[in-house]
Amino acid sequence: MQRFSFLQLLRQSFRNHEGWEPQWRAASPKAAYDVVIVGGGGHGLATAYYLASEHGLRNIAVVEKGWIGGGNTGRNTTIVRSNYLFEESEALFEHSMKLWEGLSQALNYNVMYSPRGVLVLAHNTTDAQVIRRHVHANRLAGIDNEWMTPEQAKDFCPILDISRNVRYPIVGASLQRRGGTARHDAVAWGYARAASALGVDIIENCEVTAIRRDAGGGVQGLETTRGEIATRKIGLVTAGHTSVVAAMAGLRLPMESYPLQALVSEPVKPVMPCVVMSNSIHAYMSQSDKGELVIGAGTDAYTSYSQRGALHVAQHTLDALCELFPIVRRLRMLRSWGGIVDVTPDRSPIIGKSPVEGLFLNCGWGTGGFKATPGSGHLFAHTLAKNEAHPIVAPFGLDRFRTGALVDESTAAAVAH
Ligand code: FAD
Ligand code: PYC
């Protein structure tokens, strides 16, 4: 009988685990592509997948400076919902929600979309008015959302403390039952595998360092740490860093970058059946399938590119969560991390053409772009393929900052801004 050491067995079990071995073609860059997507997060990979699957393009590359999904896609708290206020955003996020519902089947990859419900807490009269306004707006648009009394909220999430004499009393809540979570890295891997199977080159460890333009100003190609690539069409999908990359083409964008942090507890048995968010306290929590409580804090108060958040921000969040859920008081935290989110003046994304011919933008998702991954990729692929914004993303063009037609979703962002 063959004997294996413990390490060999461990390695083998990792190999057998779906997703451990790369299931996408790890490519070297070719000299030229029809389209290059910069940024191998969920949005960039989804864009490449839909360009290939729905628009028949094949000569596509996704270039990623690190490893795919290593940016905000792999750092976020995976909340999926479409309970936004304005019609433009409702259409955008609901489009995405519908794609989530069939995504595992479409990609033949389990992205673990789990519609376990997203409960948004109201702590005072203003909160209640704002949240109820969202409920009414959503219902008018045919999006599920409902108002709950504190008792109904507690029935749905029994570990909530709804006593009246606490620091953050709960006066009501909204519940979007179709909202929930999905497995963040599975989304990147699922899109990567499906795009690769359609011939897309996914090129990791390939940082874009310059954008070359021709005499007329249009894009001509990219310089990367793995050589030059010629292309006439570039999609920038580099969350948190798009201002830096766009500046390589001489473009200044109305965005600021902030650290946003999250943390997980040690794993415990199932205690949390849904997602709970509190916008005014800047704290939210859910439980992963591994048992860890997944906790998110607010953004730092200052712009920065450091991928960690300030300690006092996390401390405030933990204090607040101990008030809302006294059961978590004795839990230990396992790890914490941060990501860089790019925030626009109206807290809505920028999707569409840029003033530079051949340069397209998909950025500004701020604290809330994970939920949009399938919809963003789907609509951005259309925009790139047709050279024209898809009607759903047309309101999210860069020109709104000139015309003033803003889509002010600051109350939907759910975390501090
Ligand atoms: P990313 O996954 O960041 O991908 C961009 C990629 O571009 C990166 O991999 C980066 O390495 C690459 N890149 C950058 N510069 C270059 C370059 N020069 N050359 C090549 N590649 C480059 N959203 C929700 O909807 N729900 C949530 O619960 C949620 N929680 C969050 C919690 C935290 C802590 C954070 C940080 C964010 C959260 N978000 C959430 C926001 C969400 O994570 C992002 O909006 C979303 O993941 C952005 O996806 P992306 O594919 O555009 O970006
Ligand atoms: O957009 O739902 C969201 C979210 C939660 C935490 C960060 N963003």
Side-chain angles (χ1 to χ4, degrees), residues 23-324:
Q23 295 177 26
W24 51 91
R25 209 146 40 100
S28 296
K30 290 195 292 199
Y33 288 95
D34 293 338
V35 185
V36 177
I37 304 296
V38 185
H43 288 231
L45 293 162
T47 305
Y49 166 72
Y50 291 115
L51 275 172
S53 64
E54 297 211 349
H55 301 282
L57 297 178
R58 289 291 184 270
N59 191 25
I60 307 167
V62 178
V63 295
E64 163 56 49
K65 75 174 173 188
W67 63 94
I68 63 164
N72 286 351
T73 298
R75 293 162 185 270
N76 81 91
T77 44
T78 78
I79 298 172
V80 172
R81 58 188 174 88
S82 60
N83 52 359
Y84 281 70
L85 184 60
F86 291 104
E87 282 167 13
E88 295 87 344
S89 331
E90 287 173 327
L92 175 59
F93 289 98
E94 184 59 19
H95 182 71
S96 202
M97 184 73 108
K98 294 213 167 81
L99 289 172
W100 278 115
E101 286 163 350
L103 194 59
S104 294
Q105 285 76 12
L107 299 179
N108 189 24
Y109 201 101
N110 189 359
V111 299
M112 295 167 74
Y113 164 60
S114 164
R116 57 185 65 184
V118 172
L119 205 55
V120 180
L121 302 179
H123 300 286
N124 51 48
T125 308
T126 313
D127 277 1
Q129 286 169 343
V130 169
I131 294 172
R132 284 185 119 129
R133 190 174 168 213
H134 282 71
V135 170
H136 296 315
N138 292 164
R139 292 173 77 101
L140 275 172
I143 296 171
D144 75 302
N145 203 353
E146 59 201 86
W147 176 254
M148 287 188 149
T149 62
E151 291 72 25
Q152 288 169 322
K154 188 169 174 68
D155 275 351
F156 198 74
C157 184
I159 64 171
L160 262 183
D161 184 358
I162 58 164
S163 321
R164 301 296 297 168
N165 58 345
V166 288
R167 186 163 168 205
Y168 304 112
I170 294 166
V171 302
S174 70
L175 174 66
Q176 184 174 31
R177 291 182 193 266
R178 286 159 65 240
T181 56
R183 169 82 194 253
H184 46 9
D185 39 18
V187 175
W189 295 339
Y191 274 120
R193 189 180 73 161
S196 176
L198 293 170
V200 172
D201 280 351
I202 295 167
I203 306 158
E204 294 175 296
N205 299 313
C206 182
E207 179 171 358
V208 169
T209 51
I211 295 177
R212 283 192 281 116
R213 297 171 67 180
D214 61 22
V219 300
Q220 202 174 30
L222 295 160
E223 288 173 24
T224 80
T225 47
R226 294 184 66 181
E228 291 187 9
I229 301 174
T231 185
R232 289 281 179 191
K233 206 174 258 192
I234 300 172
L236 292 190
V237 201
T238 45
H241 299 84
T242 311
S243 299
V244 177
V245 187
M248 296 175 193
L251 197 60
R252 189 152 179 252
L253 296 178
M255 288 196 305
E256 289 181 327
S257 295
Y258 291 90
L260 176 67
Q261 63 183 309
L263 50 166
V264 290
S265 73
E266 58 187 329
V268 288
K269 289 197 172 159
V271 287
M272 181 94 194
C274 60
V275 178
V276 173
M277 317 183 66
S278 169
N279 298 6
S280 43
I281 296 177
H282 306 312
Y284 53 97
M285 192 167 92
S286 64
Q287 188 166 20
S288 75
D289 294 326
K290 284 191 284 184
E292 299 160 339
L293 291 172
V294 181
I295 293 168
T299 42
D300 277 17
Y302 301 102
T303 52
S304 143
Y305 288 106
S306 80
Q307 284 189 318
R308 51 182 292 195
L311 190 58
H312 72 275
V313 175
Q315 192 168 355
H316 159 80
T317 296
L318 294 176
D319 282 348
L321 288 173
C322 290
E323 297 280 336
L324 294 175

